[in-house]
Amino acid sequence: MLNFTVGPVMSCDEVLEVASHSAPYFRTSEFSEVMLQNEKLMLKFLKAPKNSRCVFLTTSGTGAMESCVMNILNSRDKVIVINGGSFGYRFVELCKLHGYEMNEVRCEFGHQIKKEQLEGFSDKGYTALLINMDETSSGVLYDIPMVSQFCRENDILLIIDAISAFITDEIDMEKFNAAAIITGSQKALACQPGIAAIALAPDALERIENNKEKCMYLSLKDALKNMERGQTPFTPAVTTLLQINKRLTTIEENDGIEDERARIMELTDYFRNKISDYPFELIAEDKSNAVTALHPTTCGAKEIVRVLKDEYGIWVCPNGGDLANEVFRIGHIGYITKSNYDVLFAAFDDMKIRGII
């Protein structure tokens, strides 16, 4: 099966080779060295400020989102959430679940957030803003520099879900003045799912230290304490962490994250230049390099997803909820080549001939 979803994605041979071995025992100095290297490289690639830390949780990206909500925020916070799709709404749900005072900034599906949408929240006592850098359900890449400037001007803590944006789109944690940035193993890192990483700037670290503990398994206080020695509080997804190390060190050896981002951008441009030949409308105003969301104009999205899977051996990303039959998505991350996209385009050509699209 060819996999053009946005996670889990196809992995390179070097990463797959790591998974071909039994997971080793991890309470060792050797594994600690791997973990400390993972932390160092993550902070480097995210351009984190001095004295930042990175922890690795054995959970999905949503688990890391919830961990940030529980460990960085507290009952005194007044929160803004940017909600332009499924993943923005997830932050809304988490804030409601944990009882925080919260207001949404709603963005129309596929549309960029505008400066004027934030202006009404100035000088109103808001203390934190949560945003998905890449709203993966629509493929919109939000204007983080503008959001960051608003947060600076209003002394608001910025927490960014960059689960799909890490590696694919430019991230400068220090320039963004971000307190926390979240990512996951199964996206552009192109490893097995199961690990979420959270980079934490000094202001987030101070909050975590001073906040009362709310949880055990998702405790960032405990994760940070254990990470000082390159370990985790509980048994982690050991093989996935070793895969992450292979992926990070390979990126470092191959001219760094900018080179890897350029490779992804080239694939993205290749796909978007050719997809204009087909009866699909591009959704997002400002597009992430990670994914392209498409609205089919001649048939339902569900049928396209089904036919590609069942008849051509190709996975593409469906959307859920009310948009399940309106939108499907094509990812640009993982071990993908232009020739892989040519196979997808050949399938679309055949579907045109058959009258499916």
Side-chain angles (χ1 to χ4, degrees), residues 69-354:
V69 167
M70 287 192 292
N71 289 273
I72 301 174
L73 303 182
N74 59 56
S75 60
R76 298 182 299 278
D77 280 308
K78 191 175 177 182
V79 186
I80 303 167
V81 177
I82 310 303
N83 178 11
S86 300
F87 297 96
Y89 182 62
R90 194 159 298 174
F91 264 141
V92 171
E93 291 180 299
L94 287 168
C95 287
K96 287 181 178 178
L97 176 65
H98 292 284
Y100 295 121
E101 184 179 352
M102 180 269 302
N103 273 291
E104 300 172 60
V105 175
R106 291 184 177 247
C107 298
E108 187 179 345
F109 186 79
H111 289 260
Q112 180 62 265
I113 183 171
K114 306 299 183 185
K115 185 177 180 181
E116 52 266 29
Q117 290 178 276
L118 295 176
E119 288 174 349
F121 294 92
S122 296
D123 301 320
K124 298 289 178 64
Y126 286 93
T127 57
L129 186 147
L130 312 183
I131 188 170
N132 308 90
M133 181 171 175
D134 168 11
E135 176 45 71
T136 317
S137 64
S138 68
V140 169
L141 183 69
Y142 285 127
D143 186 350
I144 298 297
M146 182 274 291
V147 173
S148 171
Q149 183 61 31
F150 167 80
C151 290
R152 283 181 186 271
E153 292 171 355
N154 290 275
D155 195 24
I156 290 174
L157 197 80
L158 177 60
I159 296 175
I160 301 174
D161 158 15
I163 294 169
S164 294
F166 176 58
I167 299 178
T168 68
D169 298 293
E170 177 118 23
I171 298 176
D172 188 322
M173 188 173 179
E174 184 167 23
K175 188 180 292 184
F176 291 168
N177 196 34
I181 290 185
I182 305 164
T183 191
S185 57
Q186 79 279 18
K187 302 290 186 176
L189 276 170
C191 300
Q192 292 176 341
I195 293 292
I198 309 174
L200 299 158
D203 49 355
L205 295 172
E206 183 178 358
R207 274 173 160 259
I208 292 163
E209 178 63 28
N210 293 332
N211 282 344
K212 183 179 178 181
E213 196 74 274
K214 284 189 175 181
C215 55
M216 182 177 177
Y217 187 73
L218 294 178
S219 166
L220 292 184
K221 194 175 294 185
D222 207 4
L224 285 162
K225 181 179 178 181
N226 278 267
M227 194 61 197
E228 289 175 4
R229 59 191 179 96
Q231 287 289 330
T232 57
F234 312 104
T235 303
V238 175
T239 298
T240 304
L241 286 164
L242 293 173
Q243 286 185 323
I244 288 172
N245 185 256
K246 172 60 70 174
R247 184 82 166 101
L248 293 173
T249 54
T250 300
I251 290 172
E252 176 78 338
E253 291 163 3
N254 293 341
D255 300 321
I257 193 169
E258 287 78 13
D259 186 72
E260 179 66 9
R261 184 177 299 118
R263 183 191 69 82
I264 294 170
M265 290 172 66
E266 184 178 353
L267 284 172
T268 303
D269 290 342
Y270 182 78
F271 173 81
R272 289 179 182 159
N273 287 335
K274 296 193 74 170
I275 200 65
S276 60
D277 295 335
Y278 300 91
F280 309 133
E281 295 176 347
L282 276 67
I283 298 293
E285 285 183 336
D286 298 292
K287 301 168 187 63
S288 167
N289 293 314
V291 62
T292 300
L294 300 167
H295 167 63
T297 59
T298 58
C299 64
K302 285 183 178 179
E303 183 65 2
I304 292 172
V305 173
R306 185 197 67 78
V307 170
L308 285 172
K309 177 176 69 74
D310 293 344
E311 301 183 29
Y312 296 93
I314 297 172
W315 280 316
V316 296
C317 250
N319 267 41
D322 295 338
L323 295 170
N325 207 37
E326 300 295 322
V327 177
F328 71 100
R329 294 165 291 153
I330 306 293
H332 312 302
I333 53 180
Y335 192 56
I336 296 173
T337 64
K338 291 179 182 177
S339 62
N340 292 145
Y341 280 124
D342 290 340
V343 173
L344 176 61
F345 291 128
F348 284 147
D349 288 335
D350 194 50
M351 291 168 70
K352 285 174 72 174
I353 293 170
R354 294 170 59 195

Side-chain angles (χ1 to χ4, degrees), residues 25-43:
Y25 181 61
F26 65 99
R27 299 296 191 199
T28 64
S29 59
E30 292 82 3
F31 187 75
S32 291
E33 288 176 10
V34 167
M35 289 292 287
L36 292 171
Q37 187 178 40
N38 284 350
E39 179 180 27
K40 179 181 177 181
L41 288 173
M42 285 293 298
L43 294 174

